[in-house]
Amino acid sequence: MDVIVRENYNEMSKYAAKLIAELVKSKPNCVLGLATGSTPIGTYKELIGMHKEGLDFSSVKTFNLDEYLGVGIDLKKPYNQDQSYARFMYEELFKHVNIKKENTHVPDGLAIEPEKHCQWYEEEIKRAGGIDLQLLGIGGDGHWAFNEPGSSLSSRTRVEALNKQTLDDNYESFYKKAGIKKEEMPHFAITMGIGTILESRHALMIANGKKKAEVVAKALEGAITSQITSSAIQLHPGKTTVVLDEEAAAKLKNIEHYKHVEGLKEEYKL
Ligand code: GLP
């Protein structure tokens, strides 16, 4: 696992976007796993900037990690649901680049049979050849996607109940602004499983800010536990990169080692 620490949010975002852009250039038909939340917005902004300078998304396929249940895309009025992650992706990335709508996938929060839709989503990822690079944030309770504490570390795409901390965090950052009452926000979501995420060929986790320092340290250096589902990063068999700003890295014990490894890799161009 490579742990890269950058001075601030902008530098973190630039580093993560550069890794994604390198993949898009070397494999124009790559499959990207994408994330929502405030953390990846800067990374998406960087990618939009690179697209203006020629980065081509026309053959890229994407699969998003998750979607609230009960909101999503009304097929008659695409992206009309303001609080959906589908809408978020459209606003923050898709509408600004030349990605084909049919190549983008966000779990359908309006699926009539959500469990069947989850199976279809898994199959669709396989049909696309699997995920080349999965971008990940980390929730305040240590979740990846919406794999809440107690989720099996080999779980697949499924419906998951949101826990109290997630409801509180996501209400503050997403629903409150829209004037939606707390009891009206969705309490369930469709989420890729930890097992699904671990199959990605490259896992790229990003985190910033003081609020994330403790949970990042637990995930990267603590016990592997279903109570902090992002600790499964320690089990990821493929390439694994964690990009943090200094505040989010503040509670890591092995920081000197990570810097040493980064220096060596730069020197030997690995
Ligand atoms: C939500 C998403 C996660 C994301 C988390 C963190 O719960 N389902 O995928 O990592 O928010 O959000 P933020 O980046 O705003 O801290």
Side-chain angles (χ1 to χ4, degrees), residues 200-216:
S200 61
R201 288 183 270 278
H202 183 179
L204 170 58
M205 184 174 125
I206 54 177
N208 69 289
K210 276 191 220 122
K211 262 175 76 181
K212 296 284 171 74
E214 183 126 12
V215 79
V216 163

Side-chain angles (χ1 to χ4, degrees), residues 159-177:
V159 173
E160 176 79 1
L162 306 183
N163 82 359
K164 193 173 171 313
Q165 186 177 350
T166 301
L167 289 170
D168 290 348
D169 290 351
N170 293 8
Y171 180 71
E172 286 300 322
S173 59
F174 216 55
Y175 281 85
K176 197 174 172 180
K177 288 182 222 155

Side-chain angles (χ1 to χ4, degrees), residues 131-203:
I131 292 174
D132 289 303
L133 182 149
Q134 177 65 59
L135 182 64
L136 296 151
I138 181 171
D141 63 6
H143 67 220
W144 263 354
F146 274 130
N147 290 282
E148 296 290 36
S151 297
S152 157
L153 298 184
S154 56
S155 52
R156 313 301 307 188
T157 303
R158 67 199 186 288
V159 173
E160 176 79 1
L162 306 183
N163 82 359
K164 193 173 171 313
Q165 186 177 350
T166 301
L167 289 170
D168 290 348
D169 290 351
N170 293 8
Y171 180 71
E172 286 300 322
S173 59
F174 216 55
Y175 281 85
K176 197 174 172 180
K177 288 182 222 155
I180 292 170
K181 289 189 197 131
K182 187 131 183 232
E183 55 277 20
E184 284 168 6
M185 79 173 277
H187 285 50
F188 292 86
I190 293 177
T191 181
M192 266 189 212
I194 295 294
T196 322
I197 294 169
L198 290 179
E199 281 171 11
S200 61
R201 288 183 270 278
H202 183 179

